[in-house]
Amino acid sequence: MGREIKGGRFGQRDFDRFAQRLDAETDRLRELFRSGGLSRRGPMGGYELEAWLVNGEQAPAPVNEAFLARVGLEAVSPELARFNFELGAEPRPLTGDALERMEAELAAHWSRCRNTAAGLEAAPVMIGILPTVTDAMLGLANMSGQERYRALNEQIMRLRRGRPLKLDIQGAEFLHTEHRDVMLEAATTSFQLHLQLDPERAARYYNAALVLAGPLVGATANAPFLFGKRLWRETRIPLFEQAVAAGGFGGAAFGPVKRASFGSGYVRRSLLELFEENRAHYPILLPVDLEEPAAHLAHLRLHNGTIWRWVRPLLGFDPDGTPHLRLEHRVVAAGPSVPDTLANAALFYGLIRHLAERPAPPEDALEFATARENFYSAAKHGLRANLTWLDGKRRPLGELLRERLLARAREGLEELGCAGADIDRYLEILSERVRRRRTGAAWQIAYAEAYGRDFPALVAAYRTHQDRGAPVHEWPV
């Protein structure tokens, strides 16, 4: 979904033509898997950070068009709403001082974004859900100008046969509302971690990514408030799933396979199974004629981009044009600070390396249904969630991280060849976050309990701490 499209009005001939090309490209991908035609370069890491623009009242500022015109960074691109943008990173080998260089790059780009936004009387904020956003702000008037977003909205509402999207979230409090467009999705901003893989190991890594999704989402939670209600520690999870609720078996608007979900199961042999599931079970949303050679797999990649598994397979290309496989881990919230962001990356890269390369596959020890239960429990309760781990024992996530997972992440980072000083620094940030039970979500809740639900004041304080660059466990309330 990162590419712009031409034209957003589609007829049956468009869907038929797209389906034919999707079939042909899926067949081509099968041949690439069979013949060994996919890149074996890796492991390579990268990220995409989604963020907000806010005004002097700490409310969303719909100025991303002017912001993008001025910022002068190829790494910065538009997002669904006029008050969001995305900041990407060049992929790099996960060895040596890769994490430190990622942090330096992110800090430099973030500083550039802050300076540019200041010229528009605005400021960037990295946070899972901005507490000052209101339902009324999430309308088509604030949708970014790209044609792909308007087409996506029209097609999702077509699949829903005009039925409004229903938001029902039961957390510490209860939220129920209805919405007639996909702009609810714009309230969710994440830190999406990418990992390029050897295709022979990709299935193990995909399954490991599902196993660790629960611990990751709980340890990085940063979205407790929506529309004035305190809900889940990571409310972004149910919000996103319900914001694009369309598409199931047989082309129906509703069904057991959801467009945003934890997925339908572990893969057995290869990531090809996921692309085949895409073709078999998900209605086409954007039947655009991309006019590209079949070798580019453009229609297959566009279709995959309209299916938002929390762990998503991606196809890309090496600099020499060889197609490659990546994982996109979408469970981590944006923020709270630049150091926290890289600590979250270190936790992901270290744990996935450890889990995927251990002699016994973790999916053999943890049923998919249990991994899924862990994920939603951790999104709801954060570090206090009780999770079942590979030994079959159930324990609080904070205890699991402290007693097991941080050490396993260290082993994985050492196996990757990451610099020892970087490993020590980022795991110390995580250790202190766990010890003090101070995720971004916990800080927001503590601030609201201390000062009341003055969300503009909360965002102002949050921004001050974020701009100082200290990790969230050091933030005073």
Side-chain angles (χ1 to χ4, degrees):
M1 281 305 298
R3 64 181 297 165
E4 183 57 308
I5 65 173
K6 294 180 180 179
R9 301 291 181 179
F10 308 116
Q12 189 57 48
R13 291 179 62 184
D14 298 305
F15 284 94
D16 292 343
R17 180 181 60 244
F18 191 97
Q20 291 172 1
R21 295 185 177 182
L22 183 56
D23 286 341
E25 291 175 15
T26 304
D27 288 341
R28 189 176 186 88
L29 182 61
R30 288 192 193 98
E31 178 59 22
L32 287 171
F33 272 93
R34 188 198 67 78
S35 66
L38 294 165
S39 172
R40 296 180 181 276
R41 190 176 70 147
M44 302 282 288
Y47 64 80
E48 295 170 330
L49 174 66
E50 299 167 339
W52 297 76
L53 292 164
V54 299
N55 59 24
E57 287 72 46
Q58 315 305 326
V63 297
N64 73 353
E65 185 173 345
F67 170 79
L68 291 164
R70 297 185 186 190
V71 71
L73 287 171
E74 290 186 7
V76 179
S77 58
E79 266 294 330
L80 175 60
R82 294 183 185 274
F83 41 71
N84 295 139
F85 67 94
E86 183 176 89
L87 180 58
E90 286 296 319
R92 51 172 48 91
L94 291 171
T95 189
D97 63 349
L99 293 172
E100 181 183 22
R101 287 186 288 116
M102 279 186 184
E103 181 176 358
E105 177 187 63
L106 177 56
H109 285 173
W110 192 253
S111 178
R112 179 76 166 265
C113 290
R114 285 175 57 195
N115 292 336
T116 302
L120 299 167
E121 298 184 344
V125 184
M126 57 176 92
I127 190 169
I129 295 175
L130 188 71
T132 53
V133 72
T134 66
D135 199 347
M137 296 172 184
L138 297 171
L140 295 181
N142 280 327
M143 179 178 280
S144 289
Q146 284 68 31
E147 185 64 33
R148 66 182 183 268
Y149 296 131
R150 299 195 179 278
L152 178 68
N153 179 68
E154 290 177 8
Q155 292 305 310
I156 285 181
M157 298 315 294
R158 176 186 62 83
L159 282 176
R160 293 188 61 82
R161 304 186 184 99
R163 297 183 181 95
L165 291 151
K166 293 186 177 181
L167 197 60
D168 285 289
I169 305 175
Q170 177 68 61
E173 298 169 9
F174 179 71
L175 175 65
H176 171 78
T177 188
E178 293 186 354
H179 213 80
R180 293 195 172 273
D181 54 61
V182 300
M183 285 293 287
L184 285 171
E185 178 191 334
T188 69
T189 44
S190 62
F191 177 56
Q192 298 163 12
L193 286 151
H194 288 219
L195 180 63
Q196 184 175 331
L197 299 167
D198 182 325
E200 291 189 0
R201 303 296 298 163
R204 286 288 307 271
Y205 274 82
Y206 176 80
N207 292 341
L210 291 173
V211 168
L212 67 86
L216 257 290
V217 76
T220 63
N222 196 24
F225 295 109
L226 176 65
F227 303 158
K229 303 282 189 178
R230 177 181 161 187
L231 301 167
W232 293 18
R233 293 294 173 116
E234 191 51 41
T235 305
R236 187 175 54 87
I237 302 303
L239 174 57
F240 193 97
E241 290 189 359
Q242 296 176 37
V244 290
F249 288 115
F254 310 99
V257 178
K258 306 298 184 183
R259 297 200 87 93
S261 75
F262 192 68
S264 59
Y266 295 127
V267 299
R268 297 178 296 280
R269 287 175 293 184
S270 81
L271 299 194
L272 176 62
E273 296 161 31
L274 299 171
F275 292 98
E276 291 177 331
E277 181 180 81
N278 289 354
R279 180 65 188 103
H281 297 312
Y282 290 92
I284 294 164
L285 277 186
L286 298 177
V288 182
D289 186 358
L290 296 172
E291 301 179 351
E292 293 188 30
H296 292 182
L297 304 172
H299 300 82
L300 182 145
R301 289 186 290 127
L302 177 60
H303 185 53
N304 185 59
T306 67
I307 300 160
W308 296 275
R309 297 178 183 90
W310 290 112
V311 179
R312 180 161 67 175
L314 295 179
L315 279 165
F317 294 89
D318 288 351
D320 66 0
T322 305
H324 69 238
L325 288 173
R326 296 198 310 276
L327 290 185
E328 181 183 57
H329 211 255
R330 304 167 53 82
V331 310
V332 177
S337 70
V338 170
D340 283 307
T341 298
L342 269 297
N344 295 342
L347 183 62
F348 169 72
Y349 289 128
L351 278 180
I352 197 169
R353 170 74 180 199
H354 167 75
L355 286 174
E357 297 296 342
R358 68 198 295 268
E363 61 269 29
D364 290 351
L366 195 73
E367 292 185 359
F368 175 78
T370 306
R372 181 174 55 200
E373 179 185 351
N374 283 346
F375 175 69
Y376 290 106
S377 178
K380 192 168 189 176
H381 301 293
L383 292 174
R384 298 178 184 273
N386 288 309
L387 306 188
T388 301
W389 198 236
L390 306 183
D391 57 4
K393 295 182 180 179
R394 194 167 176 83
R395 54 174 69 82
L397 173 55
E399 177 183 320
L400 179 63
L401 286 160
R402 183 175 59 252
E403 297 183 358
R404 290 180 175 244
L405 297 189
L406 293 182
R408 302 292 86 79
R410 177 178 293 276
E411 292 173 6
L413 292 169
E414 289 173 346
E415 290 168 8
L416 285 168
C418 291
D422 290 351
I423 297 173
D424 290 343
R425 177 169 181 252
Y426 295 121
L427 292 186
E428 178 63 19
I429 289 173
L430 292 162
S431 178
E432 284 299 296
R433 186 190 302 171
V434 171
R435 186 180 72 83
R436 303 187 193 191
R437 295 186 175 181
R438 180 55 64 82
T439 60
W443 182 89
Q444 291 185 57
I445 291 168
Y447 185 96
E449 289 176 345
Y451 303 106
R453 295 190 185 182
D454 182 345
F455 291 122
L458 186 157
V459 173
Y462 181 101
R463 279 184 49 212
T464 296
H465 298 315
Q466 184 174 92
D467 291 348
R468 283 178 48 238
V472 72
H473 70 263
E474 297 180 4
W475 294 9
V477 173

